[in-house]
Amino acid sequence: FTMTLGLDISTSCIGLALFDENDELKELSYVQFSDKQKNMFEKLEFFKKNILHLKDKGVKYIAIEEPLKKFVGKFSNANTISMLNFFNGMISSCCYELFSIEPAYYNVNSARSTAFDGFHKDIKEKDHKNEVWRRVASMEPHINWDYGPKSGKLKEYCFDMADAYTVGVADIITRRKQIES
């Protein structure tokens, strides 16, 4: 087996996408953290417990979306960026420990443009999240997405799952191009 694991890491939720040796999606899920995990180390342990089932699945490649490196509007500050980088390192180390694989890291914009032809053309930045989900949903029509019962809106973790899918596909395409050249 040569499975590819794509991860979208945040301190509230981690999206996971697992692709088989034929580059077909086998699992699309998430690890949602709750108030029970009071600190990053407890979140790390919770994550580890939730991905142990992948240990013997033949994961050969791990692709992770890079955390923010610079301030982007009102959604980032130095503490947030620092915390995300720290947690990303913890999860990366955990993956290396479990699978003996050094993850590949992808910038969010390059992952999107690699996974989806012409992604950034004519799409406003505030619509990127929805557009990524829309493209993943059209590529994988069999996925049943979760919606809030009252709001009718897509659950937030669905976007993390879509981002994990995107980084996994970007890794598969990048490796394929390297082999061909």
Side-chain angles (χ1 to χ4, degrees):
F1 295 105
T2 55
M3 306 285 258
T4 300
L5 177 62
L7 297 174
D8 175 57
I9 301 168
S10 79
T11 56
S12 60
C13 182
I14 297 177
L16 295 105
L18 185 67
F19 299 86
D20 68 14
E21 61 275 2
N22 299 315
D23 305 333
E24 291 178 22
L25 183 67
K26 285 292 158 211
E27 180 181 330
L28 188 61
S29 60
Y30 63 97
V31 175
Q32 180 85 50
F33 301 114
S34 71
D35 294 338
K36 290 179 183 159
Q37 294 89 40
K38 303 263 187 259
N39 61 51
M40 300 248 219
F41 297 97
E42 290 176 6
K43 289 178 181 188
L44 176 68
E45 286 304 311
F46 186 74
F47 171 76
K48 196 183 291 188
K49 282 181 194 154
N50 281 275
I51 66 159
L52 277 176
H53 71 282
L54 300 177
K55 190 162 172 38
D56 298 321
K57 295 267 196 227
V59 173
K60 188 172 178 188
Y61 305 101
I62 299 173
I64 297 176
E65 186 181 296
E66 288 179 345
L68 289 174
K69 290 182 177 171
K70 62 182 182 184
F71 301 113
V72 183
K74 64 181 181 183
F75 297 109
S76 60
N77 62 44
N79 286 341
T80 303
I81 291 173
S82 176
M83 189 183 318
L84 281 171
N85 277 302
F86 183 74
F87 194 57
N88 193 301
M90 291 174 76
I91 297 297
S92 296
S93 179
C94 173
C95 289
Y96 184 80
E97 184 183 311
L98 279 175
F99 302 105
S100 299
I101 297 164
E102 183 178 342
Y105 298 92
Y106 291 87
N107 169 279
V108 63
N109 294 322
S110 60
R112 288 170 178 171
S113 60
T114 300
F116 311 118
D117 276 340
F119 181 80
H120 290 288
K121 294 181 180 91
D122 305 322
I123 302 170
K124 293 185 177 105
E125 184 135 359
K126 69 178 177 72
D127 298 328
H128 282 187
K129 192 166 81 161
N130 289 316
E131 180 64 18
V132 167
W133 173 82
R134 192 186 66 70
R135 292 199 188 197
V136 172
S138 71
M139 291 169 75
E140 304 289 345
H142 61 281
I143 295 172
N144 292 317
W145 299 93
D146 293 337
Y147 295 85
K150 291 180 184 168
S151 70
K153 290 182 181 174
L154 205 56
K155 296 261 189 164
E156 207 51 43
Y157 56 76
C158 294
F159 298 109
D160 300 308
M161 292 164 46
D163 285 343
Y165 180 94
T166 302
V167 77
V169 168
D171 186 63
I172 290 166
I173 291 170
T174 300
R175 281 187 284 108
R176 200 180 295 146
K177 285 179 181 175
Q178 289 170 345
I179 291 168
E180 290 169 1
S181 62

